[in-house]
């Protein structure tokens, strides 16, 4: 684009022009962190930014050692809230002790050589966005936990469902952990370099959930589970508030309530990911022994497996009919001509239909695949 | 028109990036003073939130993705489900069974589900957003670039579309070097200079590798015309001595390709030898040769899964055996041919040295981490880029294994009492207004 002649800063001669350009390039840096704007001055906003980066923001430059480093954990002047609170509590405690017994000598932690430990994070300290208390940086599984899960599934042959309930980790996560660790082991085997430095650094920045494989000890030590494994998805059919008159003497259970919402809606007991836990607990309250409960569960599992296999077989048989000659396997899929519809333009219709344009070259057609098979 | 600043300081706009400007803006972000008309409020909320959520997506595209139906879950206790059938909530209504209502107690124990924080949940399903959320890129835009540049694989296939919507169970992998570049500190100027030279040198070496061989010398004059089979054999024989490809600084993939070609050559030669000597060779030598070919095929099939050293080792062994079989006479063939180490023995050796191997590996990895490699695009030894830690979190709908730069998209993000899984820097008021903006005409 030619320079506008109206421009008052237009230099008169060629030498002046080169000079002008030179000075411009000098002052204009491509770096985002340049301290100057195009006119070569530092604006107030920018100087404030740099002041913040040098003072309060300096703590965020490098990861904290041994704990997370989120914005909400700090006061506006860049001090750890939990440290301040702990100091205040300690002061109050000391004061209370002194009031109770003015003659006693209370040992100071610093004087006695005990290094002040940073108190553990609370949920408040794990919020990366100060304005949004509803988002918390939730803890991730430790390396040790992942190894234990992998071992339980791949070495001990535990089912994903059992591993999920015993480690209190979602079923999909158990499967993912196994899958990812398998790949990692493969990489170490073929000596493909791992991103270890990166991995260590990231794990140092994230909250990591405490892991105790033994359930009894976990309960005894009060270690919270990694995540809730029995999440009931809120079904849209349960959205509306329904006034359903029923007799007072009637025992109106969850199953009845589900029927009222929708005739085909299952009760919560069946819609949670681990319905077997409920059944097992029911049996436990009735007074069955552990062995009996396990046996019953195995029977139920076997039944479910048979049903699943049958369904799968039926589904396979229904879709494609295979006629196996000695040389060829002819595969037939049922097709309904009427699916093309009255005007022959139905989406389910098969084959080339005269007068029906193919839309795949038309503008706005999305070509991004919707799924990638394994 | 001049290009607008992505990270501006005048107008506080929080972006999907780890930039220090963005961190500063995040500390300055306040809930706006809601003046003006309802329309103005909605507009402001929409423009504020869209600067962060899928800023790289066109508005129309996002409007198509938007759903008014939001996902939420309620954690259930299986013990409660087993002990109660739910009828206790309805029992004795009006007959004095219910206790007097204490609203304050109810409010305290019941946490609301932050539904409206889930407004931008569909965007989190996009591949570029997931790559960024898994901490593989320093901004959503960089993650998008990684996708288009073919650095991202979904279920093992390169997925060049940043807009691919992940399905539950999809695994995505990003090239580790790109991840280390995106999340690592910048190189110093010295490292940049040295690295440039190293890369140039390496390129030259690789180029030389790919160059065709100098013109072959004119073939010797022979009295008798050779048969094609004989010619081929002679050629292969020449190659036997040139199989030892010079060690060069090339990457593993190229190395494997070379070794694969070498293996093919080797198998071809051994087969020819077998065919040629069918009538002449003794039964023992034939057996050995057949076993050798079989072994070679097995090794060739596993070449992609084996390490450099393992491949070289087995190749050297094969070549040695082949030479022995050819050279030895019938009589001493049986005595001299080293018996192939059985698979069982291999396994046993491996098990025995497992501890040692682990120790060695540990040492090796620590050395690798500390070593300076100027040819990399990031500062080595690797350290995280500045101002990364306040942005480092992983939402629960992802399971990430950072050491292999891979992650699995477990499920769609959900809200639960007191928590929403969509990471949004904005409060519920802004999110609610933004949701209302997109609700219109729906």
């Amino acid at each position: 684009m030619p320079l506008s002649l109206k421009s008052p800063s237009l230099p008169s001669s060629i030498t002046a022009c080169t000079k002008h350009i030179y000075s411009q390039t000098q002052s204009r840096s491509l770096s985002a962190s340049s301290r100057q704007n195009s006119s070569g001055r530092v604006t107030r906003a920018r100087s404030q930014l740099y002041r913040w980066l040098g003072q309060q923001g300096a703590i965020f430059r490098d990861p904290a050692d041994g704990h997370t480093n989120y914005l909400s954990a700090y006061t506006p002047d860049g001090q750890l809230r939990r440290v301040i609170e702990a100091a205040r509590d300690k002061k109050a405690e000391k004061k209370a002790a002194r009031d109770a017994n003015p003659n006693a000598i209370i040992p100071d932690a610093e004087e006695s050589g005990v290094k002040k430990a940073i108190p553990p994070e609370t949920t408040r300290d794990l919020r990366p966005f100060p304005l949004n208390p509803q988002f918390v940086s939730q803890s991730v599984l430790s390396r040790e936990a992942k190894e234990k899960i992998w071992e339980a599934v791949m070495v001990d042959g535990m089912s994903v469902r059992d591993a999920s309930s015993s480690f209190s980790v979602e079923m999909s996560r158990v499967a993912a952990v196994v899958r990812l660790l398998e790949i990692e082991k493969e990489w170490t085997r073929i000596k493909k370099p791992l991103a270890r430095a990166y991995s260590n650094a990231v794990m140092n920045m994230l909250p990591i959930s405490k892991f105790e494989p033994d359930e009894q000890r976990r309960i005894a030590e009060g270690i919270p589970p990694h995540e809730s494994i029995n999440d009931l998805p809120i079904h849209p059919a349960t959205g509306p508030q329904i006034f359903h008159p029923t007799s007072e003497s009637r025992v109106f259970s969850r199953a009845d309530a589900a029927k009222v919402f929708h005739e085909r809606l299952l009760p919560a007991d069946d819609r949670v990911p681990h319905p077997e836990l409920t059944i097992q607990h029911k049996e436990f309250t009735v007074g069955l022994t552990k062995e009996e409960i396990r046996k019953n569960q195995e029977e139920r599992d076997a039944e479910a497996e048979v049903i699943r296999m049958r369904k799968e077989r039926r589904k396979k048989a229904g879709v494609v009919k295979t006629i196996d000659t000695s040389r060829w396997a002819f595969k037939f899929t049922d097709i309904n001509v009427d699916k093309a519809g009255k005007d022959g333009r139905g989406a389910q219709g098969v084959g080339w239909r005269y007068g029906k344009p193919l839309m795949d070259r038309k503008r706005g057609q999305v070509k991004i695949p919707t799924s990638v098979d394994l | 028109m001049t290009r607008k600043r992505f990270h501006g300081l005048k107008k506080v706009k929080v972006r999907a990036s780890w930039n220090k400007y963005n961190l500063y803006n995040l500390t300055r972000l306040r809930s706006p003073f809601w003046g003006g008309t309802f329309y103005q409020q909605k507009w402001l909320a929409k423009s504020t939130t869209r600067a962060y959520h899928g800023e790289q997506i066109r508005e129309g595209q996002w409007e198509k993705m938007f759903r008014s139906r939001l996902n939420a879950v309620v954690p259930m206790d299986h013990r409660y489900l087993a002990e109660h059938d739910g009828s206790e909530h309805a029992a004795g209504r009006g007959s004095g069974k219910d206790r007097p209502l204490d609203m304050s107690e109810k409010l305290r124990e019941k946490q609301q589900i932050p539904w409206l924080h889930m407004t931008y949940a569909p965007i989190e399903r996009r591949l570029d957003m997931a790559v960024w959320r898994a901490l593989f890129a320093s901004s959503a835009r960089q993650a998008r670039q990684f996708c288009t540049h073919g650095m991202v694989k979904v279920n093992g296939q390169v997925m060049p579309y940043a807009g691919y919507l992940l399905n539950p169970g999809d695994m995505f992998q990003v090239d580790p070097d790109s991840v280390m570049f995106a999340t690592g500190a910048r190189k110093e100027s010295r490292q940049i200079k040295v690295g440039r030279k190293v890369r140039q040198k390496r390129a030259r070496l690789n180029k030389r590798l790919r160059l065709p061989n100098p013109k072959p010398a004119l073939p010797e004059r022979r009295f008798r015309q050779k048969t094609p089979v004989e010619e081929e054999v002679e050629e292969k024989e020449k190659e036997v001595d040139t199989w030892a490809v010079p060690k060069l600084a090339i990457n593993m993939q190229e190395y494997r390709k070379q070794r694969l070609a070498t293996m093919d050559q080797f198998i071809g030669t051994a087969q020819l030898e077998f065919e040629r000597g069918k009538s002449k060779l003794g039964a023992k030598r034939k057996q050995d040769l057949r076993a050798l070919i079989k072994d070679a095929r097995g090794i060739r099939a596993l070449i992609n899964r084996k390490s450099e050293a393992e491949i070289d080792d087995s190749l050297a062994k094969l070549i040695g055996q082949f030479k022995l079989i050819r050279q030895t006479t019938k009589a001493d063939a049986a005595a001299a041919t080293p018996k192939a180490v059985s698979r069982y023995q291999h396994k046993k050796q491996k098990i025995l040295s497992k501890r040692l191997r682990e120790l060695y590996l540990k040492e090796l990895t620590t050395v690798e981490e500390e070593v300076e490699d100027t040819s990399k695009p990031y500062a080595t030894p690797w350290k995280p880029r500045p101002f990364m830690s306040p942005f480092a979190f992983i939402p629960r709908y992802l399971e990430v294994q950072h050491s292999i730069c891979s992650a699995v998209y477990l499920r769609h993000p959900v809200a639960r009492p007191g928590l929403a899984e969509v990471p949004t820097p904005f409060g519920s008021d802004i999110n609610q207004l933004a949701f209302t903006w997109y609700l219109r005409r729906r």
Side-chain angles (χ1 to χ4, degrees):
Chain A
M1 208 183 84
L3 280 168
S4 161
L5 286 175
K6 281 177 195 165
S7 169
S9 64
L10 193 69
S12 50
S13 66
I14 296 168
T15 46
C17 183
T18 48
K19 251 185 200 172
H20 183 75
I21 289 166
Y22 182 69
S23 68
Q24 264 189 347
T25 48
Q26 283 265 303
S27 67
R28 244 186 78 216
S29 164
L30 289 170
S31 164
S33 59
S34 85
R35 281 159 180 255
Q36 294 166 340
N37 66 357
S38 54
S39 62
R41 276 185 307 135
V42 181
T43 58
R44 187 182 291 145
R46 200 162 296 270
S47 67
Q48 273 173 354
L49 160 79
Y50 277 96
R51 196 186 305 142
W52 184 85
L53 286 176
Q55 292 172 3
Q56 299 99 312
I59 23 171
F60 301 112
R61 192 180 168 81
D62 296 315
D65 191 23
H67 60 92
T68 55
N69 206 18
Y70 297 119
L71 276 181
S72 343
Y74 295 89
T75 56
D77 14 312
Q79 283 183 302
L80 264 180
R81 281 179 209 271
R82 56 182 189 276
V83 169
I84 295 172
E85 278 160 15
R88 200 196 299 139
D89 290 350
K90 211 172 187 183
K91 215 175 178 183
E93 234 173 67
K94 248 187 207 171
K95 206 190 167 198
R98 209 172 287 141
D99 289 346
N101 191 0
N103 296 332
I105 301 158
I106 300 148
D108 199 5
E110 279 168 78
E111 282 166 21
S112 58
V114 181
K115 210 191 167 194
K116 263 198 264 178
I118 294 171
E121 294 122 329
T122 55
T123 321
R124 193 259 331 265
D125 304 320
L126 291 174
R127 288 182 183 134
F129 306 119
L131 223 56
N132 180 8
Q134 266 90 351
F135 180 75
V136 174
S137 165
Q138 287 172 291
S139 55
V140 295
L141 287 171
S142 63
R143 172 85 219 174
E144 183 205 359
K146 284 180 183 176
E147 283 287 352
K148 275 270 154 49
I149 291 169
W150 178 85
E151 208 178 296
V153 176
M154 297 304 287
V155 180
D156 305 341
M158 208 187 239
S159 70
V160 170
R161 184 171 286 275
D162 290 348
S164 161
S165 56
S166 73
F167 295 120
S168 185
V169 171
E170 262 179 49
M171 276 190 284
S172 52
R173 195 179 303 281
V174 169
V177 163
V178 171
R179 197 170 158 197
L180 291 167
L181 278 204
E182 276 290 298
I183 293 172
E184 200 201 64
K185 282 172 203 296
E186 176 73 20
W187 280 29
T188 37
R189 209 161 58 73
I190 63 168
K191 287 188 190 158
K192 187 169 174 180
L194 301 179
R196 259 178 236 274
Y198 161 69
S199 167
N200 292 342
V202 170
M203 288 309 260
N204 194 30
M205 294 175 202
L206 294 172
I208 292 167
S209 51
K210 274 186 191 164
F211 184 70
E212 175 55 59
D214 187 44
E215 202 172 353
Q216 298 301 324
R217 209 180 296 164
R218 191 165 62 218
I219 293 161
E221 284 177 25
I223 296 170
H226 175 66
E227 60 192 337
S228 75
I229 51 169
N230 238 5
D231 284 343
L232 176 72
I234 295 181
H235 197 278
T238 60
Q241 194 174 18
I242 296 170
F243 288 93
H244 182 73
T246 174
S247 71
E248 204 173 293
S249 57
R250 185 180 163 191
V251 177
F252 194 79
S253 66
R254 272 193 295 274
D256 300 321
K259 281 263 162 56
V260 172
F261 279 123
H262 193 274
E263 63 268 25
R264 284 174 63 195
L265 183 69
L266 295 171
D269 312 48
D270 299 334
R271 288 204 297 122
V272 290
H274 284 279
E276 84 281 359
L277 290 182
T278 312
I279 298 168
Q280 283 171 12
H281 191 74
K282 264 182 199 163
E283 288 175 343
F284 173 72
T285 47
V286 166
L288 294 189
T289 60
K290 263 190 178 173
E291 194 55 35
E292 284 169 326
I293 292 172
R294 196 183 55 81
K295 214 175 154 191
N296 287 351
Q297 185 56 45
E298 272 170 12
E299 276 171 22
R300 277 195 299 273
D301 286 348
E303 251 173 62
E305 182 63 18
V306 168
I307 292 169
R308 197 184 62 82
M309 293 287 273
R310 202 181 298 152
K311 258 189 191 169
E312 209 169 75
R313 221 177 300 138
R314 207 176 299 156
K315 202 178 168 190
K316 256 188 198 165
V319 174
V320 185
K321 260 179 224 154
T322 315
I323 292 168
D324 218 348
T325 62
S326 58
R327 189 162 181 185
W328 307 105
F330 293 103
K331 292 189 174 178
F332 293 98
T333 317
D334 272 345
I335 278 165
N336 194 352
V337 183
D338 298 335
K339 281 216 170 130
K342 263 184 188 170
D343 57 353
R345 285 170 182 246
Q348 303 282 314
V350 191
W352 170 256
R353 279 157 283 146
Y354 183 75
K356 164 93 171 68
L358 283 174
M359 300 298 229
D360 61 343
R361 290 294 180 101
K362 219 177 143 183
R363 192 176 150 268
Q365 295 291 315
V366 181
K367 293 293 187 62
I368 300 174
T370 52
S371 67
V372 181
D373 291 335
L374 271 178
Chain B
M1 203 183 97
T2 51
R3 190 175 151 272
K4 272 184 187 159
R5 276 185 191 282
F6 190 61
H7 297 291
L9 291 173
K10 262 188 200 163
K11 200 173 188 181
V12 178
K13 273 200 168 158
V14 180
R15 300 291 190 177
S17 95
W18 299 348
N19 195 294
K20 60 186 173 188
Y21 280 52
N22 199 36
L23 185 69
Y24 176 57
N25 278 344
L26 203 56
T27 62
R28 295 200 302 158
L29 183 70
R30 301 274 174 277
S31 201
F33 170 70
W34 295 112
T37 63
F38 188 39
Y39 183 86
Q40 284 167 341
Q41 290 176 18
K42 284 193 287 184
W43 176 278
L44 182 62
K46 179 217 75 170
S47 72
T48 319
T49 49
R50 281 283 282 131
Y52 179 83
H53 291 286
E55 169 271 333
Q56 74 275 28
I57 313 168
R58 275 180 286 114
E59 184 65 7
Q61 224 173 325
W62 155 240
E63 274 178 1
K64 270 184 217 155
M65 285 164 82
F66 174 78
R67 293 283 172 278
S68 60
R69 179 158 291 162
L70 305 165
N71 290 334
V73 295
V74 182
M76 300 298 281
D77 184 10
H78 66 270
R79 286 178 219 91
Y80 169 80
L81 285 178
E83 285 160 16
H84 306 87
D85 66 348
S87 59
E88 79 279 0
H89 287 297
R93 280 263 178 263
S95 54
K97 263 201 172 180
D98 44 359
R99 285 177 296 142
L101 251 175
D102 184 8
M103 274 316 281
S104 63
E105 193 192 339
K106 276 231 142 144
L107 280 174
R108 221 180 307 128
E109 72 186 27
K110 197 179 176 190
Q111 277 182 311
Q112 303 284 322
I113 295 177
W115 288 100
L116 297 165
H117 285 255
M118 303 296 292
T119 306
Y120 291 102
I123 284 181
E124 301 300 317
R125 217 185 137 184
R126 283 173 58 99
L127 181 59
D128 52 353
M129 284 307 263
V131 165
W132 179 56
R133 293 290 187 208
L135 309 181
F136 294 153
S138 66
S139 67
R141 280 198 169 254
Q142 191 177 38
R144 181 191 171 87
Q145 194 188 40
F146 282 171
C147 296
T148 46
H149 287 195
M151 306 295 190
V152 183
K153 281 181 185 172
V154 174
N155 289 340
Q157 286 181 38
V158 173
M159 176 56 70
Y161 306 109
Y164 171 73
L165 297 180
L166 288 160
N167 296 314
D170 272 353
M171 182 172 72
F172 54 94
Q173 295 169 296
V174 186
D175 172 41
D177 255 0
S178 307
V179 172
M180 306 262 274
F181 166 68
T183 59
R186 253 198 238 165
K187 274 201 226 179
E188 296 162 20
S189 57
R190 183 193 61 82
Q191 282 189 324
I192 294 171
K193 271 178 204 159
V194 176
R196 202 178 292 141
K197 268 182 196 158
V198 167
R199 263 181 287 121
Q200 279 168 357
K201 200 174 178 186
R202 209 171 273 185
R204 242 178 282 139
L205 273 172
N206 282 344
K207 206 175 170 188
R208 205 179 299 160
L209 244 187
R210 258 179 264 125
L211 275 176
N213 291 330
K215 269 186 188 173
L218 284 171
E220 278 177 61
R221 282 181 179 253
R222 299 247 173 167
F223 295 109
R224 185 178 61 88
Q225 195 70 31
K226 270 191 255 175
T227 60
V229 172
E230 269 176 334
E231 260 177 47
E232 208 173 333
V233 167
E234 209 162 79
E235 231 171 73
K236 295 266 157 129
E237 268 171 349
K238 262 187 223 157
E239 278 158 11
V240 171
D241 296 323
T242 56
W243 275 333
V245 179
K247 271 213 161 189
L248 286 171
I250 42 173
N251 65 19
M252 198 62 193
Q253 214 180 346
E254 213 168 285
Y255 173 85
R256 287 225 166 85
K257 270 185 201 160
Q258 284 181 13
R259 288 299 184 270
L260 211 60
T262 318
M263 285 302 288
D264 283 340
Q265 275 183 358
F266 176 79
I267 292 168
T269 317
Q271 269 173 336
L272 257 174
E273 180 83 11
F274 185 77
E275 293 291 322
R276 200 179 54 165
K278 236 179 190 174
S279 52
K280 290 180 228 162
L281 289 173
K284 178 73 187 118
R285 283 223 281 178
K286 264 195 218 169
Q287 255 178 18
D288 281 348
L289 212 51
R290 230 180 276 136
L292 191 75
I293 290 169
K294 202 179 165 190
D295 271 1
R297 284 214 180 110
I299 289 162
R300 191 200 176 279
L302 294 176
I303 217 158
N304 280 337
R305 293 194 222 153
K306 284 199 170 154
S307 68
E308 211 171 326
E310 275 176 318
I311 297 167
D312 274 354
D313 218 313
S314 42
L315 197 58
K317 258 185 208 164
L318 283 177
I319 293 169
Q321 281 179 15
F322 184 57
K323 277 183 179 168
L324 263 174
I325 291 171
R326 284 212 315 192
Q327 282 165 5
T328 48
T329 54
K330 257 186 193 179
D332 54 19
T337 318
K339 276 188 182 160
V341 187
S342 74
R343 290 224 173 113
Y344 174 73
Q345 270 178 324
H346 259 301
K347 245 184 201 169
K348 212 173 180 184
Q349 273 178 350
K350 266 185 188 171
I351 291 160
L352 278 176
S353 61
K354 200 182 170 190
R355 263 183 70 88
L356 263 175
R357 233 179 342 125
E358 268 171 15
L359 267 173
Y360 170 71
L361 254 180
K362 220 177 204 177
E363 244 171 56
L364 195 78
T365 46
T366 46
V367 166
E368 260 170 31
E369 276 167 31
E370 285 159 15
V371 110
E372 189 188 52
D373 183 356
T374 41
S375 68
K376 298 284 186 203
Y378 43 83
T380 42
W382 189 91
K383 59 178 192 286
R385 52 178 283 156
F387 300 102
M388 175 179 170
S389 58
F391 297 107
F393 56 81
I394 290 176
R396 279 273 165 91
Y397 56 84
L398 295 175
E399 177 59 36
V400 189
Q401 186 72 22
H402 290 102
S403 55
I404 50 171
C405 299
S406 309
V408 176
Y409 182 79
L410 300 179
R411 53 183 163 77
H412 301 316
V414 290
R416 57 183 74 240
L419 282 180
E421 280 183 346
V422 174
T424 169
F426 311 105
S428 45
D429 49 350
I430 308 183
N431 273 312
Q432 180 167 5
L433 282 162
F435 182 76
T436 326
W437 170 270
Y438 290 110
L439 264 188
R440 60 184 186 164
R441 280 182 269 117
R442 273 169 220 276

